[in-house]
Amino acid sequence: MFCEKAVELIRELHRISDGQLPAFNEDGLRQVLQEMEALYDQNQADVNEAKSEGRAELIPSIKVRHCCLLRDQRCVTAYLYDRLLRIRALRWEYGSVLPANVRFHMCAEENFRMTIVVLSQLQWFSQYKKSLASFMRSLGGGEGLDITQDMKPPKSLYIEVRCLKDHGEFEIDDGTVILLKKNSQHFLPRWKCEQLIRQGVLEHVVS
Amino acid sequence: MSDVLSDAGSDSNHDDSQEDVMTPAELIAKLEEAWLNEKFSPELLENKSEVVECVMEQLTHMEANLQRVKKGDAKASVHRMEIDRIRFVLSSYLRSRLQKIEKFFPHVLEREKSRGEGEPSLLSPEEFAFAKEYLANTETYLKAVALKRMPPNLQTVDMLKAVPEPCLDSFVFLRVKERQENILVEPETDDQREYVVDLEEGSQHLMRYRTIAPLVSSGAVQLI
């Protein structure tokens, strides 16, 4: 049946409801595009015949094929856009520099080919980061505000954190420098730690 | 909070600009109202950049005052908390707006472009730039990865049709700030008489957003 492959692409994303980004289904996309080409060619032929030979009975099948073409286009754009939303979420979750394992997941192809898809995804992500940064910089008449911080209402001023990996020196607002060594525990200002907690460098210790 | 803010407050009192001079407390109240309205409204609301700018100025003053307070003074942590709280509300407000801009990007751009001369703007200039970049970025991506490999008559997507519009019929909780009379809840049809209510000041209701949308922008009701 027509459009089956296209719907399968959608189902694939629908199954992964936790927002993770699966590998790009290039094969699936290629099959849908091939089906679209075939439908379009058949329609071109039939349209010509319907016009020249006056065969009006071809018109219903032309219409059906056209509907399938529109559905294929819709499914493909939905698949691609949903992936973009998952990529966008990475910026908000992990910050401007993606941790290595996340970045790998965004680019990994079967044999690490830098395909159009991979390049386009990276380009979209890079442009999105730029737009967001530019917007945040312009807030308050040029003063700037990082709205990817302060994701939760402040409950306590300082929190106990444990360092999960070596992160080197870390300066807090009053000038003191903390050495973030693996397994060290610190009592730090909450707002300074948010991003490091999300990146997996620090862990909030709830006693 | 009062002594940290009062220094900032006295600055704005010396201002002899035409805009209304608000006390810091009033400014923060306005921010919180805008924040709640934006959070609970299904569509993007009018932009309040003057409030945003004033709040950011306020935060800068508060941070500066905080530097002058002796380290380890108990007052410092209370002021710090206050700054964090305000910054959270401001960030949350801006995030709400950005999320809606991204979610409804073609509609938001269309509304802004077709708005009349005297009407208040939906997007700040920076938000407008962001929305345009988001649209262009997304179109570029879709074209490069799939659209240009499709048959000739299917190489474009009408974003206004492809992206769903906000659901204005969703229900919202609201509190009435200014008494309203004869609000049309359901129009008259063949089967039913028209259903009209009066909204008493201070009362709270659960209503369809579409009905009370103009009251939100006028400030007559507050979404909660």
Side-chain angles (χ1 to χ4, degrees):
Chain A
M1 198 53 248
F2 296 133
C3 304
E4 254 181 43
K5 195 70 205 173
V7 173
E8 208 181 285
L9 286 178
I10 307 277
R11 272 204 211 103
E12 184 190 299
L13 282 181
H14 190 65
R15 262 198 297 272
I16 309 182
S17 49
D18 62 356
Q20 271 192 54
L21 185 72
F24 191 90
N25 191 345
E26 262 203 282
D27 241 2
L29 176 63
R30 189 180 15 252
Q31 284 178 43
V32 177
L33 291 172
Q34 278 168 0
E35 179 183 271
M36 288 180 80
E37 197 181 332
L39 286 170
Y40 180 75
D41 288 343
Q42 282 165 20
N43 259 5
Q44 287 291 82
D46 275 7
V47 163
N48 287 332
E49 218 182 295
K51 273 201 223 156
S52 55
E53 315 277 316
R55 293 187 57 194
E57 74 273 17
L58 290 175
I59 294 185
S61 35
I62 293 172
K63 285 194 177 155
V64 168
R65 287 195 207 102
H66 186 68
C67 287
C68 294
L69 281 166
L70 288 174
R71 188 164 160 84
D72 276 341
Q73 186 203 48
R74 190 175 167 183
C75 289
V76 166
T77 40
Y79 175 74
L80 294 175
Y81 191 65
D82 191 82
R83 288 180 61 86
L84 284 187
L85 293 180
R86 294 173 194 232
I87 292 173
R88 171 214 179 262
L90 295 176
R91 167 65 185 88
W92 286 87
E93 183 60 29
Y94 295 105
S96 189
V97 178
L98 297 182
N101 58 325
V102 173
R103 197 173 45 233
F104 174 82
H105 205 60
M106 194 166 101
C107 307
E109 292 294 324
E110 288 281 304
N111 38 16
F112 299 88
R113 291 173 298 148
M114 286 299 264
T115 59
I116 292 283
V117 171
V118 167
L119 285 170
S120 302
Q121 275 177 178
L122 287 172
Q123 189 182 20
W124 188 91
F125 183 70
S126 156
Q127 181 57 54
Y128 179 77
K129 274 197 304 179
K130 255 193 235 145
S131 291
L132 183 61
S134 172
F135 171 75
M136 295 198 295
R137 249 197 317 269
S138 71
L139 291 171
E143 171 76 29
L145 178 69
D146 186 350
I147 60 173
T148 66
Q149 303 298 314
D150 305 298
M151 296 296 269
K152 293 207 177 72
K155 281 227 160 58
S156 63
L157 211 45
Y158 281 74
I159 51 172
E160 187 81 24
V161 290
R162 183 184 301 118
C163 202
L164 297 174
K165 32 182 128 135
D166 283 332
H167 192 72
E169 291 188 345
F170 186 56
E171 186 178 333
I172 52 177
D173 287 336
D174 61 8
T176 38
V177 175
I178 310 264
L179 181 63
L180 294 178
K181 223 172 131 60
K182 183 168 173 175
N183 286 328
S184 60
Q185 258 181 246
H186 307 276
F187 194 54
L188 295 176
R190 186 195 40 78
W191 71 94
K192 283 299 240 185
C193 305
E194 262 189 23
Q195 187 145 75
L196 289 175
I197 292 175
R198 288 213 296 273
Q199 286 176 347
V201 174
L202 295 178
E203 178 187 47
H204 186 184
V205 177
V206 184
S207 43
Chain B
M1 163 148 157
S2 48
D3 56 341
V4 174
L5 284 188
S6 61
D7 291 356
S10 56
D11 283 326
S12 59
N13 280 332
H14 292 320
D15 223 352
D16 43 31
S17 53
Q18 300 105 313
E19 44 195 53
D20 295 330
V21 171
M22 274 189 280
T23 66
E26 284 171 354
L27 174 66
I28 300 305
K30 265 217 147 26
L31 173 68
E32 289 183 1
E33 282 173 15
W35 172 56
L36 289 173
N37 279 340
E38 197 70 72
K39 224 166 139 43
F40 296 121
S41 148
E43 64 172 350
L44 186 68
L45 298 175
E46 229 172 85
N47 99 84
K48 305 266 181 215
S49 7
E50 342 75 54
V51 174
V52 170
E53 274 194 41
C54 289
V55 171
M56 286 193 67
E57 258 178 49
Q58 198 70 260
L59 283 174
T60 311
H61 279 131
M62 290 170 82
E63 290 269 5
N65 286 335
L66 200 58
Q67 296 306 322
R68 293 196 255 123
V69 171
K70 215 168 37 166
K71 294 266 176 294
D73 192 344
K75 272 196 297 188
S77 41
V78 177
H79 293 320
R80 180 86 247 168
M81 218 21 184
E82 191 62 40
I83 293 173
D84 279 359
R85 201 178 64 84
I86 295 172
R87 207 178 50 234
F88 167 74
V89 173
L90 181 62
S91 297
S92 182
Y93 170 68
L94 293 165
R95 276 195 296 266
S96 268
R97 287 185 62 83
L98 217 61
Q99 272 159 23
K100 281 192 230 174
I101 291 171
E102 289 176 357
K103 192 162 179 198
F104 305 121
F105 64 98
H107 306 288
V108 156
L109 283 169
E110 189 61 33
R111 267 177 73 188
E112 186 68 357
K113 282 194 190 127
S114 57
R115 127 187 105 89
E117 261 309 306
E119 282 170 39
S121 65
L122 186 65
L123 301 170
S124 68
E126 301 79 32
E127 287 171 342
F128 187 61
F130 178 84
K132 277 198 302 200
E133 286 167 17
Y134 190 81
L135 172 67
N137 197 16
T138 304
E139 280 186 332
T140 305
Y141 173 79
L142 291 174
K143 265 200 198 81
V145 175
L147 291 179
K148 73 164 196 254
R149 293 152 73 183
M150 290 189 180
N153 63 331
L154 287 157
Q155 291 195 352
T156 51
V157 171
D158 182 354
M159 289 297 188
L160 284 170
K161 290 217 194 81
V163 176
E165 282 188 32
C167 177
L168 300 178
D169 289 317
S170 39
F171 278 79
V172 291
F173 284 97
L174 59 106
R175 181 175 50 240
V176 180
K177 285 161 68 178
E178 292 163 19
R179 187 172 193 282
Q180 301 294 315
E181 294 187 353
N182 291 332
I183 300 299
L184 186 66
V185 174
E186 297 286 349
E188 185 173 336
T189 62
D190 287 339
D191 308 330
Q192 64 184 38
R193 305 235 311 274
E194 68 173 18
Y195 180 19
V196 161
V197 292
D198 290 341
L199 300 177
E200 296 297 326
E201 187 178 319
S203 60
Q204 293 178 174
H205 303 269
L206 175 63
M207 295 175 78
R208 232 198 290 263
Y209 176 77
R210 197 190 290 273
T211 325
I212 47 93
L215 301 178
V216 176
S217 33
S218 72
V221 308
Q222 168 73 50
L223 296 182
I224 51 177

